Amino acid sequence: MANVTIDGIEVEVADDATVLEAARAAGCDVPTLCFDDRQDPFGACRVCLVGIEGARAPLPSCTTIVRDGMVVDTRDERARRIASNVVDLVLSELPHAPDPDTELARVAAGFGFGAGHSPRWPGATHVGLEAERNHPYLAFDHDMCISCGRCVRACDEVQGTFALATVGRGFTANVVAGLDQGFRDSVCVSCGACADTCPTHAIWEVA
């Protein structure tokens, strides 16, 4: 077991626990975006950055393993500034604000980006990507995809179907079903794991 101090609170966690798990054990809120506790940690979004005593820079709490005696500051100014900028950049790529009940909206609100927020970096958005509405159980609005990878990993790790894949790079990155033939003609089994994990409701289950 490892003794870790999170925001002044001492907790004892397993030696292989992550800093995020330790923070939650201490009752400290650390925002996440690419993380789903049903999946292996990915560490891509950098929204869960924290300050760690002795570290040269903030570290992602979801992939950083604790060590005995570690001192963590989840409110570290530099970590919060970087994470805030990441969320603002994500919002700037969307054609419209995420629905209030989405995980992205809740994370954004935690950084002070409420309804009516205008991203600091206006410019091109994902408008124009064709939405998929021909599947009997699932719909996919590609414009609202933030390429967090959670749907792809849910399909792979949770369901074991491998129906989804990430394509493109940078601003053009997105998610496709099968060999880009769409949900309906892919090997999708309509389990809904992708919709359940999506933080923006880019993928959702239709009634």
Side-chain angles (χ1 to χ4, degrees):
M1 302 293 287
N3 291 299
V4 184
T5 302
I6 311 286
D7 294 346
I9 302 170
E10 293 186 9
V11 293
E12 186 178 60
V13 294
D15 290 332
D16 60 350
T18 64
V19 172
L20 179 58
E21 290 172 325
R24 290 181 171 179
C28 300
D29 180 43
V30 177
T32 63
L33 205 51
C34 72
F35 179 79
D36 184 324
D37 57 15
R38 296 166 294 186
Q39 304 169 10
D40 291 335
F42 196 48
C45 70
R46 291 306 193 257
V47 173
C48 71
L49 290 177
V50 295
I52 296 179
E53 189 175 90
R56 298 173 63 180
L59 296 172
S61 61
C62 69
T63 56
T64 301
I65 303 300
V66 299
R67 66 175 186 276
D68 193 48
M70 178 181 279
V71 177
V72 178
D73 181 5
T74 68
R75 298 163 295 191
D76 177 79
E77 182 179 350
R78 184 180 178 190
R80 292 284 295 182
R81 183 175 69 252
I82 295 171
S84 176
N85 286 340
V86 167
V87 173
D88 208 7
L89 279 169
V90 168
L91 294 173
S92 75
E93 295 184 357
L94 301 179
H96 57 79
D99 292 338
D101 62 336
T102 61
E103 188 175 332
L104 175 56
R106 292 192 295 271
V107 169
F111 285 99
F113 304 142
H117 169 68
S118 297
R120 193 183 312 171
W121 299 279
T125 65
H126 288 167
V127 173
L129 297 174
E130 186 175 355
E132 296 184 44
R133 305 289 173 84
N134 62 349
H135 191 284
Y137 306 113
L138 296 166
F140 190 2
D141 183 356
H142 289 270
D143 288 348
M144 294 300 290
C145 177
I146 61 172
S147 299
C148 65
R150 283 169 56 169
C151 60
V152 176
R153 288 180 286 126
C155 191
D156 294 357
E157 298 173 20
V158 178
Q159 183 61 29
T161 303
F162 304 96
L164 299 176
T166 302
V167 296
R169 299 180 63 185
F171 192 76
T172 63
N174 213 270
V175 171
V176 298
L179 298 175
D180 204 8
Q181 73 262 49
F183 271 120
R184 184 172 182 173
D185 298 319
S186 73
V187 295
C188 171
V189 296
S190 306
C191 71
C194 55
D196 184 57
T197 193
C198 181
T200 67
H201 290 179
I203 302 177
W204 73 96
E205 295 185 78
V206 297

